Amino acid sequence: MKIGFKIAVCAIVIMLSLQSCSRKKDKFVTRNFHALTTEYNVLFNGYNALNKGREALNSAYTDDYWEILPVERMQIMEETLLPGQSKNADFTKAEEKAVVAIQKHGMNIGGKEKNHQIDEAYLLLGEARYFDQRFIPALEAFNYILYKYPLSDKINQAKVWREKTNIRLENDEIAIENLKKLIEEEELEGQELSDATSILAQAYINIKSIDSALTQIKIAALETKKPFEKARFNFIKGQLYNKLKESDSANMAFDQVIKLNRQIPRKYLVAAYVEKTKNFDYKNGNKLEFQEHLKRLEDYYENRPYLDKIYHEIANYYLKTKKDSIAITYYNKSIRATTSDKKLNAKNYLILGDYYFNDANYQTAGAYFDSTMVNLKLNSKPYRVIKRKRENLDDVIKYEGIANINDSILTLTRMSNTERLEYFTTYTNKLQEAANAEVERLEIESRKNGLVTNNLSGSGFVKNKSNSSGSNSSFYFYNPTTVAYGKNEFNKIWGERKNSDNWRWSSNKTVSFSNGAISTIDVTVSQDSLKTFNPQYYIDKIPSEQKVIDSLKIDRNYAYYQLGLIYKEKFKEYRLSKDKFINLLESNPEEKFILPSKYNLFKLSELLEEDSRIAFYKEDIITNYPDSRYAKILSNPEFAKTLDTESPEYLYTQTYKLLKAQNYTQVILDSEKYAKDFTDEPIQPKFELLKATAQGRLFGYKTYTQSLNSIALEYANTPEGQQAKSLIASLKRVADTSFVTNKASKHFNAVYTFNASEFDKIEAFKKELTEAVKAIKYYDLYVSEDIYTLDTKFVVVHGINSVQGAKGFALLLKENEENENKKKKKRNRKKLQLDRPAFGISSKNYTIIQTHKNLNSYLDLK
C-alpha cells in the first residue's frame, strides 16, 4: 500500500513538472517555472561570465591621462575577426547563456512574451556583443527590446545601451538627440540618470562640445553611488575645466577625487595630485609649500609605482623656477622609472632635447630627439614634426661646427705673436699637468700590482691548483709567480698598453713621464707626442696666407647666414636667428649677404615686437637699397601681397609653367639667371633642379645625371639635394641604352621628324593629323608634339597596338588622305598635306631614344 502510494505521488509530480516545462501553455506554474529558471540559472551564470569578462577588459586597459579620459574603460581592438570568432571567451559564454534563455525559456504565446525575464536575456545578449566589440549585432539586440518590450522595466537601460553602441559606431549626433529625449521624457534618477548623463557627456566630448559635456558629467558624478565611477567622473570634470582654462574649478574637481582616498584605486589618487601640480600658480603660489608637497608625494611609499609621473612634475617645477640642473636630474629619473607610458617618455626626452638645443649642445639634443621618436607612434603628426626637427638639426650641427671652428681660427689670426705664445703656453701647461697626473696614477697602480704579486707569491694561502689525478698542475695562469713575471716582461717589451683592438700600434702606448720628462724607454716611440707640449707646434699651424683666411671667412659667413635662416624658418627660434644675423653683419660679410640679412632682421623684429628695431631696419633698407625687391615690398606691402612679380616664388611658378610647356631653352636661361639673383636663399636649389630637368629633357641622360650630381654635392643638406640623390639612384634603371625587341612591347607610335627649318609647319601639320586620325575607327589614337633636341622635334601618333600598324601607319594615312582629298576636290576645299615619312617605334624604345638621345642608333639598327 505504501509503495503504491509513493509511486503514485512520484508520477503526479513528474507529470506536473512535465506540464510546467511546456512553453506553449500560459499557466501560473509554467510562467513562474521558466521565469525562475531563467533568472536564477541561465541569466545568473550569464551575468557572472559577463562580469568576469568586463574585469579582464578593465585590467587590460591603460588610461591615457594626457588626454581626456573616456567615460568607459574599454580598449577598441582593430583586428578583424572571422564569423564565429570572439575576442573574449567570457563574452561568448554570456551570449550563449542569453541565447539559451531566449530559445529554451521564451514563452511567446499569442504574440506576447509571458516570461518576464526574456527582456533581460536580450539585454544580456546586447551587452555581451557590445563588450565583444560586435556593435551592429549589439544594436540589433537593444532595438529588439525597444520594439518588442515597450513596457519592460529594463526599457531605460536598453535605451542607454543603445546610445552607448551608437557612440561606438560614431553616431554621436543620433546618440545626443536620443539621450536628451530620454532624460526630458523619463523621470530618471540615481544610477540610471548617472548612466544616461555620463554617456551623453561622452558624446559631447567626441564632438568637442566641452561646455555641454561638463554640464552632463557633473550630474553623472553627483548621481552615481559607485566610488570608482564617482572618482572617474570627477577626474574627467577636472580635465574639462582645464580645457576651459578654469584651473581653480579643475582643482576643486580633483580634490573631490582625492577625498575618496582608500575607496578608489591609487592610480586615480596620484593622477589627481599630478593634475593639481600642473595648475600651480607660479606667480602667486607659495613655492616653498608646493615644493614640500612634491617632496611628500615623492617620499610616500605607496606612490612608488607612479614615481615616473611624480618625477616628471617635480622636474617641471624646477625647470620653471630656473633650477635647471635639478630639473635635468629629475627628468632622467622619470625616464628610468617609466615602464609603459611612452607619451611620458617622449615628453621627457623632448624637453631634454629642447633644453640642450637652446644651450647650443646640438649633438646631445640630437640624441634626445632620436629617443623621442622611438617613443612616438610611427608616422604620426608629432613623430613627423620631431623627425623634421631632427633632420634640420644635422644642418645646425654642421653649420655651428663650421662657424665655431672658423671663428676660433680667425680669432687666432688676429692675435699678435706675443698673444699667441701666451695663449698656447697656457694650453700646453694644462696638457703637461694632465699627462703628469696620468703617469702618477699609473705608477701608483703599478706599485699596487707589484705589492699584490709579492704578497700572493710569499704567502701560504695561495696554492697551485691540482688536477684530477692529484699531481700539481703546470697550467701557466694557476701559478701567481709566473703570472707576475709575465706581466713585468710584457711591460718591459711593450710598455703600458690599453686593453683594445690593435694594441700593438704605437698610438695605443701610454706615455710615461717622470718629473716632467719622458723616460728613456719611451723616447723612441713617443717622440711625436712631444710636439703637443710645445706652444710653437700650434702657432705654426695658424694660417697666414690671405687666400686661406678669406676662404675661412666666406665659409663662416655662409654658415652664419644658413643658421639664421634655419633658426627662423624651421625652428621658430627667433632670438637665436637674430643673434646669427647680427653676428654675420658684424663680421664684414660679402655684399650678397648684407641686404637679405637686414631684411630678415626686419622680419624678426616684427615677430619679436621690437618696434624701434623694425623702424631702424625698414629705414635702412629703403634708404640704402631703394631699387631692391625688399625696398619695394617694405614701401608698399599691400602691392607686394597682391602683385609681387619679382618674388622668387612667383618667378619659380612662371619658370615651372615654361617647363610644362616644353620651353626647355627658356627654362635653362631663366633658371640660371634666378639662381644667381637668389644666391644662398632657400629657393636657389629649386631653380637649379628646374634647370637640370630641362637639360635632361633637351640633352639626355648624361647631362641630366651630371647636373643632378652637382646639385647633390652643392646642396647636400637641402630637400632638393636629397631629391637629386634619389633621382640619381632611380635613373640607374634606365642607364642601359640597349633597345628592346618589339615582342616585349604592346604599345607603338608613329613618329614624324621635323628639323629646325620646319618648326613653323608643325602646328598646321598637327591640326590636320589630329583630324585624320579621328577617321581611323579601329585604333584609339591621339597626337602629341615632343621636343627631341634643340634642332629636332617630333610629332607622335600614340595608341597603335602592333609594330606592323606603326610601320604601315604612314601608308594607311596616305590612302585615307587620297580618298579625303578626292572628296575635298569635289567640294572645292583645301587638300590635306600629310604625305610625309614616318618611322614606327615601340613606346619603350621611344622612351630610350628620348632618354639617351640615340635616334640615329635606332634608325641604323632598323
Side-chain angles (χ1 to χ4, degrees):
M1 178 67 183
K2 290 181 179 180
I3 294 173
F5 177 76
K6 288 179 180 180
I7 292 171
V9 169
C10 289
I12 292 168
V13 169
I14 291 169
M15 288 176 65
L16 289 172
S17 298
L18 289 172
Q19 286 181 346
S20 66
C21 286
S22 173
R23 297 187 296 117
K24 301 300 180 184
K25 295 182 179 180
D26 183 13
K27 294 184 178 181
F28 175 80
V29 174
T30 305
R31 290 196 303 270
N32 283 281
F33 171 79
H34 283 289
L36 288 171
T37 304
T38 303
E39 182 176 3
Y40 293 107
N41 183 2
V42 185
L43 292 184
F44 176 80
N45 291 325
Y47 274 111
N48 278 346
L50 182 73
N51 291 332
K52 186 179 177 183
R54 290 187 68 175
E55 287 174 8
L57 208 61
N58 286 336
S59 61
Y61 182 78
T62 304
D63 281 315
D64 181 5
Y65 294 98
W66 302 102
E67 304 290 340
I68 295 175
L69 293 184
V71 166
E72 184 179 49
R73 287 168 55 85
M74 190 168 93
Q75 182 69 45
I76 300 297
M77 308 300 288
E78 298 296 335
E79 69 266 19
T80 304
L81 299 179
L82 296 173
Q85 288 185 321
S86 172
K87 293 181 173 68
N88 189 303
D90 291 314
F91 297 136
T92 302
K93 183 178 178 181
E95 184 175 355
E96 288 172 353
K97 292 295 181 182
V99 171
V100 167
I102 293 165
Q103 290 180 344
K104 293 190 176 181
H105 299 286
M107 296 180 64
N108 195 332
I109 300 172
K112 291 185 178 181
E113 181 58 59
K114 301 300 181 179
N115 184 349
H116 61 273
Q117 292 295 325
I118 296 302
D119 56 346
E120 190 158 355
Y122 275 106
L123 190 63
L124 173 61
L125 178 65
E127 289 181 32
R129 289 172 173 177
Y130 174 87
F131 287 114
D132 206 32
Q133 298 181 26
R134 292 182 291 120
F135 299 119
I136 299 296
L139 194 63
E140 290 175 355
F142 298 132
N143 280 329
Y144 188 80
I145 298 172
L146 302 179
Y147 164 71
K148 198 71 177 177
Y149 307 101
L151 301 178
S152 168
D153 60 341
K154 305 294 181 184
I155 195 71
N156 289 337
Q157 290 183 44
K159 287 179 179 179
V160 170
W161 277 100
R162 180 185 66 177
E163 304 321 321
K164 285 175 74 171
T165 311
N166 270 325
I167 289 172
R168 293 295 181 184
L169 293 170
E170 300 181 2
N171 298 324
D172 296 302
E173 288 78 8
I174 295 173
I176 290 170
E177 183 181 347
N178 291 337
L179 284 168
K180 285 172 70 176
K181 185 177 179 182
L182 172 65
I183 294 168
E184 288 170 4
E185 293 180 355
E186 302 293 337
E187 295 182 0
L188 301 180
E189 57 184 18
Q191 193 60 45
E192 277 191 349
L193 180 58
S194 176
D195 291 343
T197 51
S198 63
I199 294 304
L200 182 55
Q202 183 64 65
Y204 279 127
I205 290 170
N206 291 349
I207 64 171
K208 312 298 182 187
S209 181
I210 304 301
D211 288 330
S212 301
L214 187 56
T215 303
Q216 300 303 323
I217 205 70
K218 283 180 184 177
I219 300 170
L222 191 65
E223 292 295 327
T224 185
K225 302 302 178 187
K226 300 175 182 178
F228 172 82
E229 285 189 354
K230 192 175 285 290
R232 193 173 185 86
F233 296 163
N234 277 312
F235 191 89
I236 295 170
K237 182 169 69 174
Q239 289 181 310
L240 293 174
Y241 272 124
N242 274 336
K243 279 280 185 183
L244 297 172
K245 309 296 182 185
E246 298 179 21
S247 55
D248 290 338
S249 299
N251 286 344
M252 291 174 66
F254 294 130
D255 282 335
Q256 288 177 309
V257 178
I258 293 168
K259 281 179 185 177
L260 292 169
N261 199 3
R262 301 287 178 182
Q263 300 177 55
I264 59 174
R266 187 76 189 173
K267 59 185 175 182
Y268 284 111
L269 199 65
V270 173
Y273 275 122
V274 167
E275 291 299 320
K276 279 191 70 177
T277 63
K278 294 177 183 177
N279 294 332
F280 178 69
D281 186 353
Y282 283 87
K283 288 184 179 179
N284 306 314
N286 188 328
K287 292 180 183 177
L288 182 61
E289 185 180 323
F290 183 63
Q291 191 172 330
E292 290 173 355
H293 168 69
L294 291 173
K295 185 65 177 171
R296 285 195 298 274
L297 283 178
E298 179 186 1
D299 293 340
Y300 192 55
Y301 74 96
E302 285 191 47
N303 292 343
R304 288 174 187 170
Y306 315 103
L307 281 175
D308 52 351
K309 297 173 180 62
I310 294 169
Y311 285 149
H312 178 78
E313 293 308 320
I314 295 172
N316 286 342
Y317 166 76
Y318 283 118
L319 190 65
K320 289 177 181 177
T321 53
K322 309 300 182 185
K323 297 177 181 177
D324 296 353
S325 59
I326 304 176
I328 290 170
T329 301
Y330 273 101
Y331 281 125
N332 283 309
K333 277 187 174 184
S334 178
I335 289 169
R336 288 192 293 272
T338 303
T339 52
S340 59
D341 194 343
K342 287 197 166 188
K343 281 191 177 180
L344 178 60
N345 256 343
K347 286 181 182 291
N348 285 325
Y349 283 122
L350 181 58
I351 291 169
L352 288 170
D354 287 335
Y355 173 82
Y356 285 112
F357 176 85
N358 294 332
D359 199 39
N361 191 343
Y362 304 110
Q363 208 76 34
T364 306
Y368 276 111
F369 289 144
D370 287 337
S371 298
T372 303
M373 287 189 288
V374 170
N375 287 278
L376 292 173
K377 186 178 178 181
L378 190 66
N379 290 327
S380 63
K381 185 178 179 181
Y383 178 90
R384 293 195 299 272
V385 170
I386 299 301
K387 186 179 180 183
R388 281 198 301 271
K389 192 170 186 177
R390 179 65 184 89
E391 289 171 350
N392 293 332
L393 197 58
D394 289 334
D395 293 340
V396 172
I397 293 169
K398 173 189 171 183
Y399 291 120
E400 284 285 358
I402 293 171
N404 291 334
I405 292 169
N406 288 16
D407 259 339
S408 300
I409 296 171
L410 291 169
T411 301
L412 292 172
T413 62
R414 292 191 294 269
M415 286 182 180
S416 65
N417 290 333
T418 305
E419 288 172 332
R420 292 176 185 176
L421 183 61
E422 183 181 347
Y423 178 83
F424 284 112
T425 299
T426 304
Y427 175 70
T428 52
N429 286 343
K430 288 180 181 178
L431 288 181
Q432 184 81 40
E433 289 171 8
N436 287 338
E438 178 65 12
V439 168
E440 187 176 347
R441 185 188 69 80
L442 292 172
E443 286 180 353
I444 292 169
E445 195 174 297
S446 178
R447 291 192 195 104
K448 285 181 179 179
N449 289 338
L451 183 62
V452 170
T453 302
N454 290 335
N455 288 339
L456 287 172
S457 61
S459 68
F461 293 100
V462 179
K463 296 181 180 179
N464 291 342
K465 299 281 181 182
S466 298
N467 58 19
S468 59
S469 64
S471 61
N472 288 338
S473 171
S474 60
F475 184 55
Y476 180 93
F477 290 102
Y478 283 168
N479 190 326
T481 304
T482 58
V483 171
Y485 176 81
K487 284 183 177 179
N488 290 332
E489 287 297 305
F490 180 90
N491 287 336
K492 284 180 184 179
I493 299 168
W494 299 102
E496 290 289 339
R497 296 279 171 163
K498 295 178 183 178
N499 183 10
S500 62
D501 292 338
N502 304 316
W503 60 269
R504 296 188 186 192
W505 291 8
S506 61
S507 59
N508 283 333
K509 182 164 179 59
T510 303
V511 182
S512 56
F513 294 83
S514 179
N515 298 324
I518 294 183
S519 66
T520 55
I521 297 173
D522 298 320
V523 170
T524 56
V525 294
S526 304
Q527 197 64 264
D528 289 342
S529 62
L530 274 174
K531 297 177 183 178
T532 60
F533 299 100
N534 185 354
Q536 194 61 40
Y537 171 76
Y538 300 99
I539 293 171
D540 292 341
K541 289 183 176 294
I542 299 172
S544 56
E545 294 181 24
Q546 192 59 42
K547 184 179 178 181
V548 177
I549 294 171
D550 289 343
S551 176
L552 289 170
K553 286 180 180 178
I554 291 169
D555 290 344
R556 187 268 316 273
N557 293 341
Y558 180 75
Y560 272 142
Y561 186 77
Q562 290 298 326
L563 286 168
L565 291 177
I566 291 168
Y567 287 138
K568 174 176 173 274
E569 303 295 339
K570 296 182 178 179
F571 290 115
K572 312 301 179 187
E573 295 284 349
Y574 300 128
R575 295 200 179 277
L576 274 173
S577 175
K578 178 184 173 183
D579 291 342
K580 297 303 175 185
F581 283 122
I582 289 173
N583 288 343
L584 174 60
L585 292 175
E586 289 174 348
S587 301
N588 191 24
E590 301 88 301
E591 187 67 29
K592 65 181 180 180
F593 290 129
I594 296 175
L595 180 56
S597 296
K598 287 182 176 181
Y599 182 74
N600 276 299
L601 283 168
F602 166 79
K603 300 301 290 183
L604 289 165
S605 299
E606 282 187 331
L607 293 166
L608 295 170
E609 298 180 352
E610 297 174 346
D611 295 337
S612 61
R613 304 310 296 171
I614 293 172
F616 171 78
Y617 289 117
K618 182 176 181 179
E619 185 179 351
D620 185 5
I621 293 169
I622 293 173
T623 304
N624 298 319
Y625 308 92
D627 297 327
S628 68
R629 180 168 59 91
Y630 301 112
K632 291 177 183 177
I633 293 171
L634 293 177
S635 300
N636 191 355
E638 293 302 319
F639 176 78
K641 289 178 184 176
T642 55
L643 188 64
D644 186 7
T645 55
E646 293 183 14
S647 71
E649 292 78 15
Y650 176 83
L651 294 173
Y652 178 82
T653 304
Q654 295 304 111
T655 311
Y656 186 76
K657 287 179 180 178
L658 291 174
L659 181 72
K660 285 290 186 184
Q662 298 190 50
N663 195 345
Y664 301 132
T665 306
Q666 194 60 45
V667 171
I668 294 168
L669 293 172
D670 288 352
S671 296
E672 283 180 350
K673 178 181 180 300
Y674 299 142
K676 290 177 182 177
D677 290 345
F678 303 111
T679 301
D680 299 321
E681 292 195 29
I683 205 161
Q684 183 188 18
K686 292 182 181 292
F687 281 115
E688 294 288 0
L689 199 58
L690 268 186
K691 183 176 77 171
T693 305
Q695 287 173 332
R697 302 275 178 86
L698 208 52
F699 305 117
Y701 177 85
K702 288 183 180 179
T703 304
Y704 189 36
T705 51
Q706 287 170 2
S707 300
L708 289 175
N709 275 314
S710 298
I711 294 169
L713 289 171
E714 191 172 350
Y715 306 100
N717 295 307
T718 66
E720 290 74 26
Q722 298 299 321
Q723 186 180 349
K725 286 182 184 177
S726 177
L727 287 170
I728 292 166
S730 65
L731 283 171
K732 289 179 181 177
R733 59 187 175 82
V734 295
D736 188 5
T737 60
S738 303
F739 296 107
V740 299
T741 61
N742 290 325
K743 291 181 180 179
S745 301
K746 294 182 179 179
H747 305 286
F748 296 84
N749 309 323
V751 182
Y752 295 88
T753 307
F754 289 79
N755 58 39
S757 62
E758 299 175 302
F759 283 176
D760 58 335
K761 300 177 182 177
I762 291 177
E763 194 60 39
F765 182 81
K766 251 177 71 179
K767 187 176 180 181
E768 289 187 6
L769 184 61
T770 303
E771 291 179 1
V773 297
K774 288 179 182 178
I776 303 173
K777 304 296 184 184
Y778 43 87
Y779 285 134
D780 186 13
L781 306 177
Y782 66 95
V783 178
S784 73
E785 178 187 341
D786 299 339
I787 290 178
Y788 179 64
T789 63
L790 284 172
D791 301 321
T792 307
K793 288 185 180 181
F794 293 147
V795 174
V796 187
V797 180
H798 304 265
I800 304 168
N801 55 20
S802 69
V803 65
Q804 290 80 12
K807 288 177 179 178
F809 181 79
L811 295 175
L812 175 66
L813 203 62
K814 187 176 180 181
E815 290 176 7
N816 288 345
E817 178 191 1
E818 290 173 354
N819 294 332
E820 191 66 25
N821 282 335
K822 288 177 182 178
K823 295 177 184 178
K824 288 181 180 292
K825 188 175 181 180
K826 291 179 182 179
R827 299 174 187 173
N828 296 320
R829 292 184 181 178
K830 187 180 178 182
K831 292 184 178 181
L832 294 174
Q833 301 293 327
L834 298 176
D835 187 10
R836 189 179 185 88
F839 65 89
I841 187 170
S842 68
S843 296
K844 290 182 179 180
N845 285 334
Y846 182 71
T847 302
I848 291 170
I849 67 168
Q850 282 286 24
T851 302
H852 296 282
K853 305 301 177 186
N854 56 348
L855 174 61
N856 290 334
S857 299
Y858 178 79
L859 295 176
D860 290 343
L861 182 67
K862 293 299 173 184

